[in-house]
Amino acid sequence: SPAGCFELGAGVNLNDWISGNYLKRRLGLGAARRDDVRRIADWDFAHVRIPVNEIHLYDHRERPRAAAFDRLQRVIDWSIDACLNVLLDLHEFAGHNPRHPRPIDLVNTPALLARVIHIWRDLARQVGHHSNERLAYDFLGETRAPSLEDWDRVTSAIIADIRGREPK
């Protein structure tokens, strides 16, 4: 692929590494460690996908939770240090839960689209200093839109906002 482009390759999902997991805590299983990331790299994976949820990153007043962002930054750094690319996925946010049977309609809910853009603006500000060759964004994990045209309008709005700060 062209120089400067993110390559996906085979990857593994790091579900619950940032958001936490009630069952893992109840079983006494510890948080992710640098050795876990190195092991994933040793298994010849090319990338890790890190899903994040708004409720774990922000408090009820929409203020960033420092501990969650520190943990996110640590996992991204560990992954890049282990020569793994990172795909950051906004998986759940207010108004969108992938397990809900109805598709989300961000096109016809301007306040919700504005909220998603705000979250991505903040995420990009927090982690956007990494190379485009190592970090990519998955704007809305498992989102279903009423139509492809609707989905294109949503992603175009998010991309336009992020590109204002990250042109490449």
Side-chain angles (χ1 to χ4, degrees):
S1 80
C5 291
F6 181 89
E7 290 191 31
L8 207 51
V12 66
N13 191 38
L14 303 182
N15 196 34
D16 298 322
W17 279 34
I18 303 304
S19 61
N21 180 295
Y22 175 76
L23 181 59
K24 283 167 65 174
R25 286 191 307 272
R26 294 284 296 169
L27 294 173
L29 300 175
R33 299 179 319 243
R34 181 186 299 263
D35 290 344
D36 299 323
V37 175
R38 286 186 186 135
R39 188 172 305 111
I40 290 167
D42 289 344
W43 292 334
D44 290 329
F45 284 103
H47 82 278
V48 292
R49 179 176 170 267
I50 304 174
V52 295
N53 299 336
E54 177 186 20
I55 194 169
H56 298 112
L57 293 175
Y58 301 93
D59 67 17
H60 66 284
R61 293 187 180 157
E62 300 179 3
R63 294 178 302 206
R65 297 179 191 271
F69 275 98
D70 289 347
R71 194 165 46 247
L72 174 61
Q73 191 60 60
R74 245 188 341 268
V75 173
I76 291 172
D77 289 342
W78 293 342
S79 300
I80 291 172
D81 289 348
C83 295
L84 290 165
N85 292 333
V86 176
L87 183 59
L88 182 60
D89 161 34
L90 177 57
H91 203 70
E92 291 182 20
F93 55 91
H96 170 65
N97 179 330
R99 293 175 298 281
H100 196 278
R102 276 190 344 190
I104 189 167
D105 189 358
L106 290 172
V107 172
N108 296 309
T109 315
L112 193 52
L113 179 56
R115 179 69 192 138
V116 170
I117 289 171
H118 172 77
I119 292 169
W120 270 111
R121 185 179 301 144
D122 190 55
L123 283 169
R125 183 182 57 77
Q126 300 259 7
V127 302
H129 59 278
H130 293 288
S131 163
N132 294 330
E133 296 175 27
R134 304 315 306 250
L135 175 67
Y137 304 142
D138 181 5
F139 297 120
L140 301 169
E142 297 182 43
T143 294
R144 302 171 310 264
S147 71
L148 289 176
E149 292 79 15
D150 288 340
W151 181 239
D152 286 344
R153 283 192 287 279
V154 167
T155 56
S156 293
I158 298 168
I159 290 168
D161 189 80
I162 290 175
R163 285 231 169 108
R165 276 166 294 290
E166 293 185 44
K168 295 182 181 183

